[in-house]
Structures are given as structure tokens and as C-alpha cells.
Amino acid sequence: MIYLDHSATTKPDPAVLQTFIQASERYYANPASLHQMGVEANALLTRAREQIADIINTSPEQIIFTSGGSESNNFAIKGLARANKHRGTKILVSAIEHASVLESAKALEKEGFTVDIVDVDEHGVILIEDLKKKLTKDTVVVSIMHVNNEMGAVQPITEIAQIVHQYSRAFYHMDAVQSFGKIPVQFNKENGPDAITISGHKINALKGSGFLALRKQVNINPIIHGGGQEMGYRSGTVAVPQVVALAKAARLASEKQPQKALQFSKWRDNLHEYFEQFPYVHVLSSSKGAPHIVSCAVQGLKGEILVNAMQHEGIIISTSSACSSKDHTVSHVVHAIKVDPSYEKGVIRMSLGEGICEADIAFFKTAFSKVMHQVKEM
């Protein structure tokens, strides 16, 4: 099977797995324990935190380890909003955010916060004028993702941060789950996002690992209470082997990012050009988008049919986000970019990652052409 669903999850890197195994065998003690083994585990945890902080360009105490992207998004939005309610009670999110962002904002409405949605254009890029219009002095949190997980749209994060900080006292949170390791992701000390979410299993680390990174010291409330681990922000015994493996994966992803971006961009553009031969295929992803995500829609067909047909040919793709694809409804992202109704149920996504080669792209095109020929006959 050729796996083209890396935006849903990735296969752990062998070096990352080896790091996890070694840490599990040797540093299995609780890092909060005072005995020698606990001290050694804590030292390893500290080094991992320092390594990630160096990659993301912040201080180690601003790295908070979590179970992944969804927890980090919940933590950022709920934690910042609750801790800074004196600044305002309005939350802004884009129309194409991940469900963990949209549902976190929705949950806060029950606590007296108001939520407004920033619209996007047909390419999935936010409308800057709409952001300016909806940003008020009462806005406390703005959450706009870096790269959209369904169609690869890249947001103008520097411009967004400048507007947010110039016209409000709000914190800008950026979900970078789909961007880290694919395009540059670092804090800008002068201006930029105030909080960044990263997920381990999207960068060839292990599921159940991730972190929330802060640009500087801010007021943020914990959402998990208990023993006060992670500087009091996230209680619970820290899974040191997971964290060490995550640091290893983050370093590898950061080192490989420039080369992978060039190669993936070439394949993305090649596929865009290939799809143009089919009059009933509408390309949703853009050459200005993320290099690893290719999204298109086939007129009059359901995405599930295409996924099954391509799987029969030996290729794994997806319909949209793995988090919402099983409910068989049209994605909120597809609605937001106003896809023609005759295409909206036929959206499929191909996402590139580690292990993909030129021959796999060629094989995909051969298989897709075969499937389209079968569809045409039907």
C-alpha cells in the first residue's frame, strides 16, 4: 500500500521509536521523585524541553507538554480566555479551524464568552478586512491556524499577529499541527503568535504526545488539576519517554523541513497539473498553500467511493479531516470556501510525508486515471 494520509497521522520514525524504547527501559522513574532515578529522569525531561525550546525559539519554561494537538488547543483557548477575562470576553476563530478549536470556543460561550467567526476566501485564506472588522477591544483570544488540515491553505500569520496586537489586547493562538516540519514554524520575539500548538503524531513521533509553546510569560489557567507538574500548568506524571521521543522527532522534522518542502511542492504542483485533464475534477488546494497537502473534489461522486476505489488500487487517501470524516457530512471547511454543491461531497485529500518517492506519485496518477475511467463508464 502507498500511504498518502500523513495529515491524519504518520508512521513513527525508527530513530524516534528507538529513542522511546531506550528511555522507557532506562528512565522509567517518575521525574518528580526525589531519589536518584527520579533526578535522572527529570534531567532527561529538562534536556528535551530545552531542545524543543531552541527549535521553536522560546525559553524552556514556556514549553508545556500535553497529549497532543486537541489538548493543546483546548488548553490554549480555554486557559488564556479564563485567565484573562478582565481583558475581554470575545473570542475570534476562523471558519476553517480544527474541531478542537471550534468546540473549545463553543464551550466557552456557556461561561459568558462570545464567539465570532472570521471568514475566508475561496482558497481558505482569511479575509484580513473581516478580521479587522470583527476584532474589538473586548477580544481576548484570537485562534487562527497556520495550515488548514483539509486543503492546505497557509495563513498570513505575521500580518494577523500585527493586526491582533495593534488593535486589541488579545492573545493570538496558532494551531501549527499541520505546518511544523513542512514550513518554518518559530516564534518571532518582536511580534507573532503568542501560543503555538504542536502534535507529535503528525511529525513521525508517537500518538499521545504534543506541546503548547508560549512566546513569553502569560497568564494562563490550567485545565488539568492535580499534582502541579509542568510548572503547575498541566498536572499528571509526565511521560518522559514520550517527551524525549517527541524532542527527537521535532529535531528531525526541523532539519529535514527545507528539503522536504522543495520536494513536496514539486509533487503537489505536478498533481495539480495532472488533475486539470479531468473536466469533472476541481482542485481545492493551491500552489501557494502547504507543500504536503493536495485536495480536490470530483463532481457528482461521494468521497468515500473514491477512497474505497483508490484503496482497491493499493493507495490510501482520505476524504477530509480524519477527525470528522466518519460522520459522512459535508465538511465545515468545504462550506466555508463555498464549494459548488455538485462537488462538495466528492472531496478527497492526498497528504505527503516520509517515505514517499517519485514512483509513488506516478503510481497514484495511473491508479486515479483508472478509477476515473471506471467512473466515466458508470
Side-chain angles (χ1 to χ4, degrees):
M1 285 284 186
I2 294 174
Y3 184 75
L4 296 178
D5 198 20
H6 292 88
S7 287
T9 196
T10 59
K11 181 180 179 180
D13 186 287
V16 172
L17 278 178
Q18 187 59 35
T19 296
F20 173 77
I21 291 169
Q22 291 175 347
S24 297
E25 290 176 339
R26 181 175 176 182
Y27 298 97
Y28 55 85
N30 191 323
S33 297
L34 298 179
H35 51 64
Q36 183 62 34
M37 290 178 66
V39 170
E40 291 174 353
N42 188 59
L44 192 64
L45 174 63
T46 298
R47 286 200 296 273
R49 198 186 308 277
E50 290 170 347
Q51 289 167 6
I52 289 176
D54 185 59
I55 293 169
I56 211 82
N57 194 29
T58 190
S59 56
E61 58 270 21
Q62 304 307 113
I63 302 295
I64 305 157
F65 293 113
T66 68
S67 64
S70 290
E71 184 192 332
S72 292
N73 285 340
N74 272 262
F75 180 26
I77 295 167
K78 295 174 182 176
L80 287 170
R82 289 167 177 165
N84 298 280
K85 198 170 184 177
H86 59 283
R87 293 192 178 202
T89 56
K90 184 175 181 179
I91 299 169
L92 279 183
V93 297
S94 87
I96 60 171
E97 293 302 308
H98 187 268
S100 59
V101 168
L102 297 176
E103 291 301 316
S104 291
K106 185 178 179 180
L108 287 171
E109 287 184 306
K110 299 176 182 179
E111 301 178 21
F113 290 89
T114 59
V115 179
D116 209 347
I117 306 295
V118 180
D119 294 329
V120 297
D121 63 19
E122 68 273 18
H123 302 296
V125 178
I126 71 155
L127 300 174
I128 291 295
E129 289 306 313
D130 196 49
L131 171 63
K132 289 180 179 179
K133 182 177 70 175
K134 291 173 177 174
L135 186 68
T136 67
K137 293 186 182 299
D138 192 45
T139 306
V140 63
V141 174
V142 176
S143 185
I144 297 176
M145 66 191 349
H146 195 185
V147 168
N148 178 258
N149 51 304
E150 295 189 29
M151 57 179 297
V154 179
Q155 304 299 340
I157 57 171
T158 300
E159 187 176 6
I160 292 169
Q162 289 173 344
I163 291 169
V164 170
H165 295 145
Q166 181 178 351
Y167 295 104
S168 75
R169 295 196 299 163
F171 297 96
Y172 171 30
H173 164 251
M174 182 181 80
D175 177 350
V177 165
Q178 291 292 341
S179 58
F180 187 81
K182 286 81 176 179
I183 58 179
V185 176
Q186 271 195 335
F187 280 111
N188 181 328
K189 292 293 186 180
E190 286 70 40
N191 205 342
D194 299 296
I196 295 177
T197 289
I198 306 290
S199 176
H201 77 104
K202 308 291 188 179
I203 57 170
N204 303 100
L206 301 172
K207 294 174 180 63
S209 63
F211 62 88
L212 176 68
L214 304 174
R215 181 163 65 97
K216 58 183 180 181
Q217 188 69 39
V218 298
N219 289 326
I220 183 168
N221 284 0
I223 60 173
I224 298 178
H225 299 86
Q229 289 88 346
E230 289 300 282
M231 292 80 70
Y233 292 124
R234 201 251 189 192
S235 292
T237 301
V238 181
V240 174
Q242 296 260 90
V243 166
V244 175
L246 176 61
K248 176 81 169 185
R251 180 177 64 79
L252 292 174
S254 180
E255 291 173 351
K256 295 177 181 179
Q257 182 270 315
Q259 181 181 357
K260 285 168 66 175
L262 286 173
Q263 185 61 72
F264 291 170
S265 296
K266 173 186 172 184
W267 291 336
R268 176 203 61 201
D269 294 345
N270 180 278
L271 287 171
H272 283 174
E273 183 179 353
Y274 161 76
F275 286 131
E276 289 178 0
Q277 68 182 285
F278 304 103
Y280 39 84
V281 175
H282 174 50
V283 175
L284 301 178
S285 49
S286 166
S287 59
K288 295 181 180 179
H292 65 298
I293 295 177
V294 180
S295 179
C296 68
V298 180
Q299 189 177 33
L301 274 185
K302 290 185 177 180
E304 293 88 347
I305 293 174
L306 294 167
V307 169
N308 290 333
M310 291 298 287
Q311 180 173 272
H312 185 73
E313 298 299 321
I315 297 175
I316 301 297
I317 60 173
S318 66
T319 53
S320 56
S321 167
C323 299
S324 59
S325 61
K326 290 184 179 180
D327 60 14
H328 304 295
T329 59
V330 175
S331 160
H332 68 286
V333 175
V334 172
H335 278 307
I337 62 175
K338 298 178 174 61
V339 173
D340 186 280
S342 65
Y343 285 90
E344 62 182 14
K345 291 185 178 180
V347 177
I348 55 173
R349 179 188 67 185
M350 291 63 65
S351 43
L352 310 174
E354 202 74 35
I356 299 299
C357 64
E358 195 85 40
D360 295 330
I361 302 301
F363 188 83
F364 169 85
K365 291 192 287 186
T366 299
F368 190 82
S369 293
K370 179 180 177 181
V371 169
M372 289 297 99
H373 180 71
Q374 293 170 345
V375 168
K376 189 175 181 180
E377 286 184 339
M378 292 169 60

